[in-house]
Amino acid sequence: MNTITTRRKVVPVAENGDTADKQDQLLLSAAICNGEDLGSFVRKVFASGKPETLLLHLKRFSKSKESEIEDVCRAHYQDFITAVDDLRSLLSDVDSLKSSLSNSNSKLQNVAVPLLTSLDSYVEARNKCGNITLAINSLNTCVRLMELCSRANSHLAENNFYLALRCLDSIEMDFQDQVPSTTLKRMVEKQIPAIRAHIERQVNKEFGDWLVEIRTVSRNLGQLAIGQASAGRQREEELRMKQREAEEQSRLSLRDCVYALEEEEDGDEIDGVIDGGNGGNGILGFDLTPLYKAYHIHQTLGLGDRFRQYYFENRKLQLTSDFQVSSMTPFLESHQTFFAQIAGFFIVEDRVLRTGGGLIKKMEVENLWDTAVMKMCSVLEDQFSRMQTANHLLLIKDYVSLLGVTLRRFGYPIDALLDVLSKHRDKYHELLLSDCRKQMAEALAADKFEQMYMKKEYEYSMNVLSFQIQTSNIMPAFPYVAPFSSTVPDCCRIVRSFIEDSVSFMSHGGQLEFYDVVKKYLDRLLTEVLDGALLKVINNSIGGVTQAMQMAANMAVFERACDFFFRHAAQLSGIPLRIAERGRRQFPLIKARDAAEETLSGLLKQKVDGFLTLMENVNWVADEPPQGGNEYVNEVIIFLETLISTAQQILPVQVLKRIMKDVLSHISEMIIGALLGESVKRFNVNAIMGLDVDVRLLESFAENQASLLSETDASQLKSALIESRQMVNLLLSNHPENFLNPVIRERSYSALDYRKVVTISEKLRDQSDRLFGSFGTRGAKQNPKKKSLDTLIKRLKDAN
């Protein structure tokens, strides 16, 4: 049994009367007994320079402990002897135990050696099995990895880049950290980035090819879409034409009918052209698959934002290049390609915006469109300012309006383009008026002022019915001689073309009601251009009665044609005819009409003046009144009857009436002029009676025209002779002083000028007067009529 002895801690005790040296020794002894550090004592003695004292104290301490040690040893000796005895007893037991253990070990060895051998074999087999399992698992991992690699290679070979990227993602997520083969792992880590870079290059190459191809596709797509819009507009025009025909028939038959237009939406047709069915490929091969494939691949690669920016910048550069207008090719030839390219570009962008999954933003498309509109407006402003041909401007305007119709279906605002077209409206019409002025001058210069001869019905339809200038709805027999010359249908065609061109320019331009504008320019065409051209021809080129009569007949036909012009303009402008007719103004060619009639009247008056020169043969102091009238009047009547028979074939009744009235009025003035002239010094009642017969013959001629004209018109013709008739009646009256009565004068002598009455009355001599007498036979009773006439003359002179 082991005894554990606790060491006592020694505390020094100082006795009274001890010296300091003794005290230091006690402290040192206590420190040694307590196992304390003696460093402080060593430093103290070395500091005081007395190390010998410390050594002395140490020696004293060791001597004082020797006796103590001996006491301890004596105290424990018996215990030591007891322990030795116990050890010897234990040694004997240990020997017995050793022999027992040795026997047991021998037996255990004999039994355990086969078991240990089996255990070693089992452990070895188990380790091999674990190694084999690990190898199989590693091989399975490698096989699956290689299968994914093989699948990725297969997808790469077939350009199925998305599936290849999916395989790479699976390799990275599932196998990259589990590959048992270091070589295979290095290969995977090296090849995956290379494959991604290869896929990106291939996709970018395909996208680049698509960018090149889409420009051609966009141009063809734009042309086809604009063509579809043009076809739709043509169908609308055909429907409007049918409605106009129906309205015209309704107006002519005085029936109120309602017609509705069934417009076909051709927007679906355009979408069909663009979409091409469910496959996304249109007629033109409009395929966005390469674009969406590239976008999807870049999104899979985590490069979606970069690709969106790359796409936008490239498309913006393409649009900028589309804005280039070639200076080598006239814009008239290249404008369709120019605008079709832009139209196709924005049709594609609209589809990308709606189906691209955020590839391009709406704001970006709107910014591109704003840029395109600004450029197109600038190009149009520049090109329009250079154009000097109305037809060229119209062609470009029509195509631009079709462009607007096409892109408006896709939601693009086109107001700025329409504003540019409206801005050049006046220039277009000025150019159109200039072209019409030249064409009309050429048409009038080529006219021989002969009646048109039409052999076939189609000629009649083309030259008469198409302008509604026929006087009867009954088809005439052929060959047909028209009452007008070739000027009329030629000028009508020019005016109709002007109306159609004006309406074509004004329509589809954003302005719904433009009839007033078309009417304004139509008025200018008729009043300034056509009227001016006709006036120039009338004043400079008319040289005979036949030409003048033909021109007057033409003007009558033009009057009917002008009604057609305004109706045609209203119909093309979509204005009801009743509204157009409500605002009808006077005949716009009135100056040319009046000039033509004045020219014809002037030439006829010249002819009549030739016959009236026979008045020089009249015997103004005849003893007997002439029987059957004077010679001149018979010649005049023969001429007028011949004139009537000729003129009635081409001149309308009202024109003929105005001409004949003017001629008869001229004849009446010439009769009065003869009485006023210096060549007639005196005349007697017999001469006046002869004039009375002349006037009656002329009045009879006028009354005989009632069969050709109306009773009212014949009466108006007769009224043209009123001055000569009233003068003859006054000179033959038994009471000429009645001329002084205002009531009678207003009723019977309203056309007479009192100054002419005075002059002519002074020339009348009495029947009883001799040739050289002044007042007749001296002393004879004065004729009461003569006396009354003298009184009239005197009172009229006094009144004057």
Side-chain angles (χ1 to χ4, degrees), residues 202-221:
Q202 289 296 112
V203 168
N204 286 336
K205 180 178 181 301
E206 292 180 3
F207 175 66
D209 295 340
W210 179 84
L211 283 175
V212 174
E213 181 185 1
I214 199 62
R215 296 198 66 187
T216 304
V217 172
S218 296
R219 181 171 60 253
N220 296 334
L221 177 63

mmCIF file with all atom_site columns, all heavy atoms in Angstrom, residues 202-221:
data_model
loop_
_atom_site.group_PDB
_atom_site.id
_atom_site.type_symbol
_atom_site.label_atom_id
_atom_site.label_alt_id
_atom_site.label_comp_id
_atom_site.label_asym_id
_atom_site.label_entity_id
_atom_site.label_seq_id
_atom_site.pdbx_PDB_ins_code
_atom_site.Cartn_x
_atom_site.Cartn_y
_atom_site.Cartn_z
_atom_site.occupancy
_atom_site.B_iso_or_equiv
_atom_site.pdbx_formal_charge
_atom_site.auth_seq_id
_atom_site.auth_comp_id
_atom_site.auth_asym_id
_atom_site.auth_atom_id
_atom_site.pdbx_PDB_model_num
ATOM 1   N N   . GLN A 1 202 ? -20.185 30.350 -83.880  1.00 0.00 ? 202 GLN A N   1
ATOM 2   C CA  . GLN A 1 202 ? -21.080 29.828 -84.905  1.00 0.00 ? 202 GLN A CA  1
ATOM 3   C C   . GLN A 1 202 ? -22.417 30.577 -84.925  1.00 0.00 ? 202 GLN A C   1
ATOM 4   O O   . GLN A 1 202 ? -22.942 30.912 -85.993  1.00 0.00 ? 202 GLN A O   1
ATOM 5   C CB  . GLN A 1 202 ? -21.327 28.334 -84.668  1.00 0.00 ? 202 GLN A CB  1
ATOM 6   C CG  . GLN A 1 202 ? -20.129 27.451 -84.964  1.00 0.00 ? 202 GLN A CG  1
ATOM 7   C CD  . GLN A 1 202 ? -19.748 27.513 -86.439  1.00 0.00 ? 202 GLN A CD  1
ATOM 8   O OE1 . GLN A 1 202 ? -18.695 28.044 -86.781  1.00 0.00 ? 202 GLN A OE1 1
ATOM 9   N NE2 . GLN A 1 202 ? -20.607 27.000 -87.286  1.00 0.00 ? 202 GLN A NE2 1
ATOM 10  N N   . VAL A 1 203 ? -22.935 30.825 -83.742  1.00 0.00 ? 203 VAL A N   1
ATOM 11  C CA  . VAL A 1 203 ? -24.211 31.543 -83.674  1.00 0.00 ? 203 VAL A CA  1
ATOM 12  C C   . VAL A 1 203 ? -24.057 32.964 -84.209  1.00 0.00 ? 203 VAL A C   1
ATOM 13  O O   . VAL A 1 203 ? -24.927 33.466 -84.938  1.00 0.00 ? 203 VAL A O   1
ATOM 14  C CB  . VAL A 1 203 ? -24.730 31.553 -82.219  1.00 0.00 ? 203 VAL A CB  1
ATOM 15  C CG1 . VAL A 1 203 ? -25.895 32.525 -82.072  1.00 0.00 ? 203 VAL A CG1 1
ATOM 16  C CG2 . VAL A 1 203 ? -25.158 30.157 -81.809  1.00 0.00 ? 203 VAL A CG2 1
ATOM 17  N N   . ASN A 1 204 ? -22.963 33.608 -83.868  1.00 0.00 ? 204 ASN A N   1
ATOM 18  C CA  . ASN A 1 204 ? -22.729 34.963 -84.379  1.00 0.00 ? 204 ASN A CA  1
ATOM 19  C C   . ASN A 1 204 ? -22.570 34.959 -85.890  1.00 0.00 ? 204 ASN A C   1
ATOM 20  O O   . ASN A 1 204 ? -23.006 35.889 -86.580  1.00 0.00 ? 204 ASN A O   1
ATOM 21  C CB  . ASN A 1 204 ? -21.499 35.571 -83.714  1.00 0.00 ? 204 ASN A CB  1
ATOM 22  C CG  . ASN A 1 204 ? -21.757 35.972 -82.276  1.00 0.00 ? 204 ASN A CG  1
ATOM 23  O OD1 . ASN A 1 204 ? -22.895 36.214 -81.899  1.00 0.00 ? 204 ASN A OD1 1
ATOM 24  N ND2 . ASN A 1 204 ? -20.711 36.029 -81.471  1.00 0.00 ? 204 ASN A ND2 1
ATOM 25  N N   . LYS A 1 205 ? -21.957 33.898 -86.415  1.00 0.00 ? 205 LYS A N   1
ATOM 26  C CA  . LYS A 1 205 ? -21.815 33.793 -87.873  1.00 0.00 ? 205 LYS A CA  1
ATOM 27  C C   . LYS A 1 205 ? -23.187 33.638 -88.529  1.00 0.00 ? 205 LYS A C   1
ATOM 28  O O   . LYS A 1 205 ? -23.503 34.307 -89.531  1.00 0.00 ? 205 LYS A O   1
ATOM 29  C CB  . LYS A 1 205 ? -20.920 32.613 -88.226  1.00 0.00 ? 205 LYS A CB  1
ATOM 30  C CG  . LYS A 1 205 ? -20.711 32.412 -89.720  1.00 0.00 ? 205 LYS A CG  1
ATOM 31  C CD  . LYS A 1 205 ? -19.774 31.250 -89.988  1.00 0.00 ? 205 LYS A CD  1
ATOM 32  C CE  . LYS A 1 205 ? -19.566 31.069 -91.484  1.00 0.00 ? 205 LYS A CE  1
ATOM 33  N NZ  . LYS A 1 205 ? -20.816 30.815 -92.212  1.00 0.00 ? 205 LYS A NZ  1
ATOM 34  N N   . GLU A 1 206 ? -24.012 32.756 -87.975  1.00 0.00 ? 206 GLU A N   1
ATOM 35  C CA  . GLU A 1 206 ? -25.360 32.591 -88.522  1.00 0.00 ? 206 GLU A CA  1
ATOM 36  C C   . GLU A 1 206 ? -26.170 33.870 -88.392  1.00 0.00 ? 206 GLU A C   1
ATOM 37  O O   . GLU A 1 206 ? -26.912 34.249 -89.304  1.00 0.00 ? 206 GLU A O   1
ATOM 38  C CB  . GLU A 1 206 ? -26.074 31.450 -87.790  1.00 0.00 ? 206 GLU A CB  1
ATOM 39  C CG  . GLU A 1 206 ? -25.475 30.079 -88.067  1.00 0.00 ? 206 GLU A CG  1
ATOM 40  C CD  . GLU A 1 206 ? -26.215 28.990 -87.311  1.00 0.00 ? 206 GLU A CD  1
ATOM 41  O OE1 . GLU A 1 206 ? -27.215 29.310 -86.628  1.00 0.00 ? 206 GLU A OE1 1
ATOM 42  O OE2 . GLU A 1 206 ? -25.796 27.819 -87.384  1.00 0.00 ? 206 GLU A OE2 1
ATOM 43  N N   . PHE A 1 207 ? -25.988 34.561 -87.272  1.00 0.00 ? 207 PHE A N   1
ATOM 44  C CA  . PHE A 1 207 ? -26.699 35.827 -87.091  1.00 0.00 ? 207 PHE A CA  1
ATOM 45  C C   . PHE A 1 207 ? -26.219 36.869 -88.095  1.00 0.00 ? 207 PHE A C   1
ATOM 46  O O   . PHE A 1 207 ? -27.010 37.649 -88.639  1.00 0.00 ? 207 PHE A O   1
ATOM 47  C CB  . PHE A 1 207 ? -26.504 36.322 -85.660  1.00 0.00 ? 207 PHE A CB  1
ATOM 48  C CG  . PHE A 1 207 ? -27.091 37.681 -85.410  1.00 0.00 ? 207 PHE A CG  1
ATOM 49  C CD1 . PHE A 1 207 ? -28.460 37.878 -85.476  1.00 0.00 ? 207 PHE A CD1 1
ATOM 50  C CD2 . PHE A 1 207 ? -26.272 38.761 -85.124  1.00 0.00 ? 207 PHE A CD2 1
ATOM 51  C CE1 . PHE A 1 207 ? -29.013 39.135 -85.243  1.00 0.00 ? 207 PHE A CE1 1
ATOM 52  C CE2 . PHE A 1 207 ? -26.814 40.013 -84.886  1.00 0.00 ? 207 PHE A CE2 1
ATOM 53  C CZ  . PHE A 1 207 ? -28.189 40.197 -84.949  1.00 0.00 ? 207 PHE A CZ  1
ATOM 54  N N   . GLY A 1 208 ? -24.918 36.890 -88.351  1.00 0.00 ? 208 GLY A N   1
ATOM 55  C CA  . GLY A 1 208 ? -24.396 37.809 -89.361  1.00 0.00 ? 208 GLY A CA  1
ATOM 56  C C   . GLY A 1 208 ? -24.946 37.510 -90.738  1.00 0.00 ? 208 GLY A C   1
ATOM 57  O O   . GLY A 1 208 ? -25.290 38.429 -91.503  1.00 0.00 ? 208 GLY A O   1
ATOM 58  N N   . ASP A 1 209 ? -25.031 36.214 -91.091  1.00 0.00 ? 209 ASP A N   1
ATOM 59  C CA  . ASP A 1 209 ? -25.634 35.851 -92.380  1.00 0.00 ? 209 ASP A CA  1
ATOM 60  C C   . ASP A 1 209 ? -27.095 36.278 -92.442  1.00 0.00 ? 209 ASP A C   1
ATOM 61  O O   . ASP A 1 209 ? -27.582 36.738 -93.492  1.00 0.00 ? 209 ASP A O   1
ATOM 62  C CB  . ASP A 1 209 ? -25.524 34.339 -92.598  1.00 0.00 ? 209 ASP A CB  1
ATOM 63  C CG  . ASP A 1 209 ? -24.080 33.876 -92.720  1.00 0.00 ? 209 ASP A CG  1
ATOM 64  O OD1 . ASP A 1 209 ? -23.219 34.721 -93.023  1.00 0.00 ? 209 ASP A OD1 1
ATOM 65  O OD2 . ASP A 1 209 ? -23.818 32.670 -92.485  1.00 0.00 ? 209 ASP A OD2 1
ATOM 66  N N   . TRP A 1 210 ? -27.780 36.146 -91.312  1.00 0.00 ? 210 TRP A N   1
ATOM 67  C CA  . TRP A 1 210 ? -29.192 36.568 -91.279  1.00 0.00 ? 210 TRP A CA  1
ATOM 68  C C   . TRP A 1 210 ? -29.321 38.075 -91.461  1.00 0.00 ? 210 TRP A C   1
ATOM 69  O O   . TRP A 1 210 ? -30.224 38.553 -92.152  1.00 0.00 ? 210 TRP A O   1
ATOM 70  C CB  . TRP A 1 210 ? -29.809 36.151 -89.956  1.00 0.00 ? 210 TRP A CB  1
ATOM 71  C CG  . TRP A 1 210 ? -31.248 36.563 -89.824  1.00 0.00 ? 210 TRP A CG  1
ATOM 72  C CD1 . TRP A 1 210 ? -32.343 35.910 -90.287  1.00 0.00 ? 210 TRP A CD1 1
ATOM 73  C CD2 . TRP A 1 210 ? -31.742 37.756 -89.197  1.00 0.00 ? 210 TRP A CD2 1
ATOM 74  N NE1 . TRP A 1 210 ? -33.501 36.597 -89.988  1.00 0.00 ? 210 TRP A NE1 1
ATOM 75  C CE2 . TRP A 1 210 ? -33.160 37.745 -89.317  1.00 0.00 ? 210 TRP A CE2 1
ATOM 76  C CE3 . TRP A 1 210 ? -31.133 38.822 -88.548  1.00 0.00 ? 210 TRP A CE3 1
ATOM 77  C CZ2 . TRP A 1 210 ? -33.953 38.762 -88.816  1.00 0.00 ? 210 TRP A CZ2 1
ATOM 78  C CZ3 . TRP A 1 210 ? -31.931 39.845 -88.041  1.00 0.00 ? 210 TRP A CZ3 1
ATOM 79  C CH2 . TRP A 1 210 ? -33.314 39.815 -88.177  1.00 0.00 ? 210 TRP A CH2 1
ATOM 80  N N   . LEU A 1 211 ? -28.397 38.828 -90.859  1.00 0.00 ? 211 LEU A N   1
ATOM 81  C CA  . LEU A 1 211 ? -28.434 40.282 -91.020  1.00 0.00 ? 211 LEU A CA  1
ATOM 82  C C   . LEU A 1 211 ? -28.253 40.678 -92.483  1.00 0.00 ? 211 LEU A C   1
ATOM 83  O O   . LEU A 1 211 ? -28.888 41.623 -92.971  1.00 0.00 ? 211 LEU A O   1
ATOM 84  C CB  . LEU A 1 211 ? -27.338 40.935 -90.177  1.00 0.00 ? 211 LEU A CB  1
ATOM 85  C CG  . LEU A 1 211 ? -27.593 41.045 -88.670  1.00 0.00 ? 211 LEU A CG  1
ATOM 86  C CD1 . LEU A 1 211 ? -26.370 41.607 -87.967  1.00 0.00 ? 211 LEU A CD1 1
ATOM 87  C CD2 . LEU A 1 211 ? -28.808 41.910 -88.387  1.00 0.00 ? 211 LEU A CD2 1
ATOM 88  N N   . VAL A 1 212 ? -27.397 39.974 -93.190  1.00 0.00 ? 212 VAL A N   1
ATOM 89  C CA  . VAL A 1 212 ? -27.199 40.263 -94.620  1.00 0.00 ? 212 VAL A CA  1
ATOM 90  C C   . VAL A 1 212 ? -28.446 39.879 -95.411  1.00 0.00 ? 212 VAL A C   1
ATOM 91  O O   . VAL A 1 212 ? -28.913 40.630 -96.285  1.00 0.00 ? 212 VAL A O   1
ATOM 92  C CB  . VAL A 1 212 ? -25.956 39.517 -95.147  1.00 0.00 ? 212 VAL A CB  1
ATOM 93  C CG1 . VAL A 1 212 ? -25.828 39.693 -96.649  1.00 0.00 ? 212 VAL A CG1 1
ATOM 94  C CG2 . VAL A 1 212 ? -24.703 40.019 -94.438  1.00 0.00 ? 212 VAL A CG2 1
ATOM 95  N N   . GLU A 1 213 ? -28.999 38.720 -95.095  1.00 0.00 ? 213 GLU A N   1
ATOM 96  C CA  . GLU A 1 213 ? -30.157 38.232 -95.846  1.00 0.00 ? 213 GLU A CA  1
ATOM 97  C C   . GLU A 1 213 ? -31.410 39.059 -95.569  1.00 0.00 ? 213 GLU A C   1
ATOM 98  O O   . GLU A 1 213 ? -32.215 39.305 -96.475  1.00 0.00 ? 213 GLU A O   1
ATOM 99  C CB  . GLU A 1 213 ? -30.417 36.773 -95.476  1.00 0.00 ? 213 GLU A CB  1
ATOM 100 C CG  . GLU A 1 213 ? -31.597 36.159 -96.212  1.00 0.00 ? 213 GLU A CG  1
ATOM 101 C CD  . GLU A 1 213 ? -31.888 34.747 -95.735  1.00 0.00 ? 213 GLU A CD  1
ATOM 102 O OE1 . GLU A 1 213 ? -31.180 34.282 -94.826  1.00 0.00 ? 213 GLU A OE1 1
ATOM 103 O OE2 . GLU A 1 213 ? -32.818 34.132 -96.261  1.00 0.00 ? 213 GLU A OE2 1
ATOM 104 N N   . ILE A 1 214 ? -31.550 39.533 -94.337  1.00 0.00 ? 214 ILE A N   1
ATOM 105 C CA  . ILE A 1 214 ? -32.796 40.224 -93.972  1.00 0.00 ? 214 ILE A CA  1
ATOM 106 C C   . ILE A 1 214 ? -32.933 41.542 -94.713  1.00 0.00 ? 214 ILE A C   1
ATOM 107 O O   . ILE A 1 214 ? -34.046 42.047 -94.892  1.00 0.00 ? 214 ILE A O   1
ATOM 108 C CB  . ILE A 1 214 ? -32.848 40.452 -92.440  1.00 0.00 ? 214 ILE A CB  1
ATOM 109 C CG1 . ILE A 1 214 ? -34.297 40.720 -91.999  1.00 0.00 ? 214 ILE A CG1 1
ATOM 110 C CG2 . ILE A 1 214 ? -31.943 41.595 -92.037  1.00 0.00 ? 214 ILE A CG2 1
ATOM 111 C CD1 . ILE A 1 214 ? -35.241 39.600 -92.252  1.00 0.00 ? 214 ILE A CD1 1
ATOM 112 N N   . ARG A 1 215 ? -31.847 42.133 -95.184  1.00 0.00 ? 215 ARG A N   1
ATOM 113 C CA  . ARG A 1 215 ? -31.953 43.388 -95.940  1.00 0.00 ? 215 ARG A CA  1
ATOM 114 C C   . ARG A 1 215 ? -32.665 43.147 -97.257  1.00 0.00 ? 215 ARG A C   1
ATOM 115 O O   . ARG A 1 215 ? -33.570 43.904 -97.635  1.00 0.00 ? 215 ARG A O   1
ATOM 116 C CB  . ARG A 1 215 ? -30.573 43.980 -96.180  1.00 0.00 ? 215 ARG A CB  1
ATOM 117 C CG  . ARG A 1 215 ? -29.839 44.383 -94.922  1.00 0.00 ? 215 ARG A CG  1
ATOM 118 C CD  . ARG A 1 215 ? -28.710 45.330 -95.216  1.00 0.00 ? 215 ARG A CD  1
ATOM 119 N NE  . ARG A 1 215 ? -29.202 46.597 -95.720  1.00 0.00 ? 215 ARG A NE  1
ATOM 120 C CZ  . ARG A 1 215 ? -28.419 47.554 -96.191  1.00 0.00 ? 215 ARG A CZ  1
ATOM 121 N NH1 . ARG A 1 215 ? -27.109 47.387 -96.215  1.00 0.00 ? 215 ARG A NH1 1
ATOM 122 N NH2 . ARG A 1 215 ? -28.927 48.681 -96.628  1.00 0.00 ? 215 ARG A NH2 1
ATOM 123 N N   . THR A 1 216 ? -32.263 42.105 -97.965  1.00 0.00 ? 216 THR A N   1
ATOM 124 C CA  . THR A 1 216 ? -32.947 41.779 -99.216  1.00 0.00 ? 216 THR A CA  1
ATOM 125 C C   . THR A 1 216 ? -34.384 41.362 -98.958  1.00 0.00 ? 216 THR A C   1
ATOM 126 O O   . THR A 1 216 ? -35.309 41.781 -99.662  1.00 0.00 ? 216 THR A O   1
ATOM 127 C CB  . THR A 1 216 ? -32.193 40.653 -99.940  1.00 0.00 ? 216 THR A CB  1
ATOM 128 O OG1 . THR A 1 216 ? -30.836 41.053 -100.152 1.00 0.00 ? 216 THR A OG1 1
ATOM 129 C CG2 . THR A 1 216 ? -32.854 40.328 -101.266 1.00 0.00 ? 216 THR A CG2 1
ATOM 130 N N   . VAL A 1 217 ? -34.566 40.552 -97.924  1.00 0.00 ? 217 VAL A N   1
ATOM 131 C CA  . VAL A 1 217 ? -35.925 40.117 -97.582  1.00 0.00 ? 217 VAL A CA  1
ATOM 132 C C   . VAL A 1 217 ? -36.792 41.315 -97.204  1.00 0.00 ? 217 VAL A C   1
ATOM 133 O O   . VAL A 1 217 ? -37.963 41.399 -97.586  1.00 0.00 ? 217 VAL A O   1
ATOM 134 C CB  . VAL A 1 217 ? -35.879 39.092 -96.436  1.00 0.00 ? 217 VAL A CB  1
ATOM 135 C CG1 . VAL A 1 217 ? -37.269 38.770 -95.940  1.00 0.00 ? 217 VAL A CG1 1
ATOM 136 C CG2 . VAL A 1 217 ? -35.186 37.814 -96.900  1.00 0.00 ? 217 VAL A CG2 1
ATOM 137 N N   . SER A 1 218 ? -36.211 42.267 -96.455  1.00 0.00 ? 218 SER A N   1
ATOM 138 C CA  . SER A 1 218 ? -36.976 43.452 -96.045  1.00 0.00 ? 218 SER A CA  1
ATOM 139 C C   . SER A 1 218 ? -37.422 44.259 -97.254  1.00 0.00 ? 218 SER A C   1
ATOM 140 O O   . SER A 1 218 ? -38.557 44.745 -97.307  1.00 0.00 ? 218 SER A O   1
ATOM 141 C CB  . SER A 1 218 ? -36.128 44.319 -95.114  1.00 0.00 ? 218 SER A CB  1
ATOM 142 O OG  . SER A 1 218 ? -35.830 43.636 -93.920  1.00 0.00 ? 218 SER A OG  1
ATOM 143 N N   . ARG A 1 219 ? -36.528 44.416 -98.225  1.00 0.00 ? 219 ARG A N   1
ATOM 144 C CA  . ARG A 1 219 ? -36.906 45.180 -99.426  1.00 0.00 ? 219 ARG A CA  1
ATOM 145 C C   . ARG A 1 219 ? -38.055 44.493 -100.158 1.00 0.00 ? 219 ARG A C   1
ATOM 146 O O   . ARG A 1 219 ? -39.052 45.134 -100.528 1.00 0.00 ? 219 ARG A O   1
ATOM 147 C CB  . ARG A 1 219 ? -35.703 45.342 -100.340 1.00 0.00 ? 219 ARG A CB  1
ATOM 148 C CG  . ARG A 1 219 ? -36.006 46.133 -101.605 1.00 0.00 ? 219 ARG A CG  1
ATOM 149 C CD  . ARG A 1 219 ? -34.757 46.455 -102.385 1.00 0.00 ? 219 ARG A CD  1
ATOM 150 N NE  . ARG A 1 219 ? -34.043 45.256 -102.803 1.00 0.00 ? 219 ARG A NE  1
ATOM 151 C CZ  . ARG A 1 219 ? -32.900 44.835 -102.284 1.00 0.00 ? 219 ARG A CZ  1
ATOM 152 N NH1 . ARG A 1 219 ? -32.342 45.506 -101.304 1.00 0.00 ? 219 ARG A NH1 1
ATOM 153 N NH2 . ARG A 1 219 ? -32.301 43.736 -102.711 1.00 0.00 ? 219 ARG A NH2 1
ATOM 154 N N   . ASN A 1 220 ? -37.931 43.189 -100.369 1.00 0.00 ? 220 ASN A N   1
ATOM 155 C CA  . ASN A 1 220 ? -39.003 42.464 -101.060 1.00 0.00 ? 220 ASN A CA  1
ATOM 156 C C   . ASN A 1 220 ? -40.287 42.452 -100.236 1.00 0.00 ? 220 ASN A C   1
ATOM 157 O O   . ASN A 1 220 ? -41.392 42.571 -100.782 1.00 0.00 ? 220 ASN A O   1
ATOM 158 C CB  . ASN A 1 220 ? -38.548 41.026 -101.337 1.00 0.00 ? 220 ASN A CB  1
ATOM 159 C CG  . ASN A 1 220 ? -37.376 40.966 -102.281 1.00 0.00 ? 220 ASN A CG  1
ATOM 160 O OD1 . ASN A 1 220 ? -37.180 41.858 -103.096 1.00 0.00 ? 220 ASN A OD1 1
ATOM 161 N ND2 . ASN A 1 220 ? -36.563 39.916 -102.176 1.00 0.00 ? 220 ASN A ND2 1
ATOM 162 N N   . LEU A 1 221 ? -40.114 42.333 -98.925  1.00 0.00 ? 221 LEU A N   1
ATOM 163 C CA  . LEU A 1 221 ? -41.276 42.349 -98.040  1.00 0.00 ? 221 LEU A CA  1
ATOM 164 C C   . LEU A 1 221 ? -41.984 43.700 -98.097  1.00 0.00 ? 221 LEU A C   1
ATOM 165 O O   . LEU A 1 221 ? -43.211 43.767 -98.169  1.00 0.00 ? 221 LEU A O   1
ATOM 166 C CB  . LEU A 1 221 ? -40.828 42.036 -96.613  1.00 0.00 ? 221 LEU A CB  1
ATOM 167 C CG  . LEU A 1 221 ? -41.920 42.070 -95.537  1.00 0.00 ? 221 LEU A CG  1
ATOM 168 C CD1 . LEU A 1 221 ? -42.959 40.996 -95.808  1.00 0.00 ? 221 LEU A CD1 1
ATOM 169 C CD2 . LEU A 1 221 ? -41.292 41.873 -94.163  1.00 0.00 ? 221 LEU A CD2 1
#
